[in-house]
């Protein structure tokens, strides 16, 4: 019976609320949780459940961030198009990785991401002065009147998104833990805009990865668990987006770094 897994609803809520707050989609928390809860499950089953939940989380969060006018849709659509091919390839690759090696790769990615964020705590880097010739100038005004002006190299953004799409789908994490730091530190997005736009991109990437898992048959094993996790995630994402109004960008990045470190070390211990 599906209600044997009722406790997955609050888990989905917590994962989505925190994941939406920091723009990471929650997959980086959900995958370790599933690895701990189901130690004998195949990697492709774990990632298929996580990606499907990330999709519903990101969809709900994108609606909330859209109402706040924090999503830069032009960039989101461009980067989404770049992530989809990588997401499909990553989903197909997962089944070829043994569980122990999968745990080790996942832990290393989380720890490296944490170290990077802890070494680069200052996140707000909005544009000041003329942009280089190749850079795309962006301007966005939030619903509360807050104005943002920034710019980035679209070629770099597309290349990064292709890599993010592959790695995120391979690990079932949705990509926010990679995309948010990349948008902030490499493309100079304001932190709150990076989190919101990342969520929009996550919805597209996770949908592509989930569709691939459905086509390969990996998703059929975890449908019941996905439904309950997604039910909690749909509500949790709305809460996380609302909380983002009260949290400074620097603390969002620090919270992301600490979460990555704790989860990465835990999985690394299990992999050893």
């Amino acid at each position: 019976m599906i209600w044997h897994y009722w406790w997955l609803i609050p888990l989905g809520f917590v994962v989505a609320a925190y994941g939406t707050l920091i723009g990471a989609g929650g997959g980086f928390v959900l995958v370790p949780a599933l690895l701990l809860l189901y130690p004998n499950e195949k990697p492709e089953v774990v990632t298929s459940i996580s990606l499907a939940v990330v999709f519903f989380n990101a969809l709900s969060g994108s609606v909330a961030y859209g109402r706040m006018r924090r999503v830069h849709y032009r960039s989101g659509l461009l980067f989404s198009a770049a992530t989809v091919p990588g997401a499909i390839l990553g989903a197909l690759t997962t089944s070829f990785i043994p569980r122990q090696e999968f745990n080790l790769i996942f832990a290393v990615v989380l720890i490296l991401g944490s170290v990077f964020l802890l070494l680069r705590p200052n996140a707000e880097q909005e544009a000041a002065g003329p942009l280089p010739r190749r850079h795309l100038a962006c301007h966005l005004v939030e619903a509360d009147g807050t104005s943002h002006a920034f710019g980035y190299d679209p070629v770099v953004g597309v290349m990064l998104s292709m890599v993010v799409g592959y790695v995120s789908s391979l690990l079932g994490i949705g990509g926010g833990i990679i995309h948010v730091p990349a948008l902030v530190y490499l493309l100079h997005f304001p932190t709150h805009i990076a989190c919101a736009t990342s969520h929009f991109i996550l919805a597209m990437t996770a949908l592509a990865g989930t569709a691939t898992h459905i086509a390969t048959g990996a998703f059929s094993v975890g449908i019941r668990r996905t439904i309950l996790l997604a039910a909690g995630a749909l509500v949790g994402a709305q809460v996380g987006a609302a909380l983002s109004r009260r949290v400074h960008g620097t603390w969002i990045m620090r919270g992301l770094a600490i979460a990555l470190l704790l989860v990465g070390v835990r999985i690394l211990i299990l992999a050893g």
Side-chain angles (χ1 to χ4, degrees):
M1 295 292 291
I2 190 171
W3 291 110
H4 290 170
Y5 303 106
W6 66 268
W7 49 272
L8 292 174
I9 296 178
L11 175 60
F13 175 88
V14 173
V15 165
Y18 186 65
T20 301
L21 173 64
I22 60 178
F28 74 100
V29 177
L30 183 56
V31 170
L34 293 175
L35 291 175
L36 295 173
L37 292 169
Y38 305 106
N40 298 318
E41 201 68 86
K42 294 180 180 179
E44 59 266 32
V45 174
V46 172
T47 56
S48 67
I49 295 173
S50 176
L51 277 178
V53 175
V54 166
F55 166 70
F56 287 105
N57 176 6
L59 181 64
S60 178
S62 294
V63 171
Y65 280 130
R67 289 197 298 265
M68 298 178 192
R69 297 181 186 173
R70 286 183 173 181
V71 179
H72 193 260
Y73 289 105
R74 182 179 178 184
S75 300
L77 290 171
L78 175 64
F79 297 156
S80 295
T83 62
V84 169
I88 294 173
L89 182 60
L92 293 173
T93 306
T94 303
S95 60
F96 295 101
I97 303 177
R99 174 61 184 261
Q100 196 71 4
E101 283 76 4
F102 178 85
N103 287 1
L104 180 61
I105 293 171
F106 189 78
V108 171
V109 169
L110 295 185
I111 292 172
L112 289 177
S114 172
V115 171
F116 176 81
L117 294 179
L118 289 173
L119 293 176
R120 296 286 301 273
N122 297 319
E124 301 300 334
Q125 302 182 36
E126 295 201 27
L131 293 172
R133 182 180 301 176
R134 291 193 308 169
H135 282 215
L136 179 66
C138 304
H139 182 256
L140 189 149
V141 180
E142 297 183 39
D144 64 2
T146 303
S147 179
H148 302 279
F150 56 100
Y152 64 89
D153 186 335
V155 175
V156 175
V158 167
M159 293 177 64
L160 284 170
S161 296
M162 292 176 67
V163 175
V164 168
Y166 175 77
V167 175
S168 62
S169 189
L170 172 70
L171 301 178
I173 55 178
I177 62 169
I178 306 171
H179 230 155
V180 171
L183 291 176
V184 172
Y185 291 113
L186 300 181
L187 301 184
H188 310 301
F189 274 58
T191 301
H192 286 102
I193 305 306
C195 289
T197 305
S198 170
H199 241 62
F200 177 78
I201 299 168
L202 278 176
M204 305 297 181
T205 309
L207 178 60
T210 299
T212 304
H213 281 302
I214 291 174
T216 60
F219 182 68
S220 60
V221 179
I223 292 178
R224 291 181 297 179
R225 286 171 284 183
T226 300
I227 291 173
L228 294 176
L229 285 165
L234 288 170
V235 180
Q238 297 292 317
V239 174
L243 289 175
S244 71
R245 295 178 182 271
R246 304 175 179 269
V247 182
H248 190 274
T250 299
W251 286 107
I252 289 176
M253 301 307 288
R254 286 176 176 169
L256 174 56
I258 293 171
L260 293 182
L261 182 61
L262 292 175
V263 174
V265 170
R266 176 60 176 167
I267 297 300
L268 188 62
I269 292 173
L270 290 177

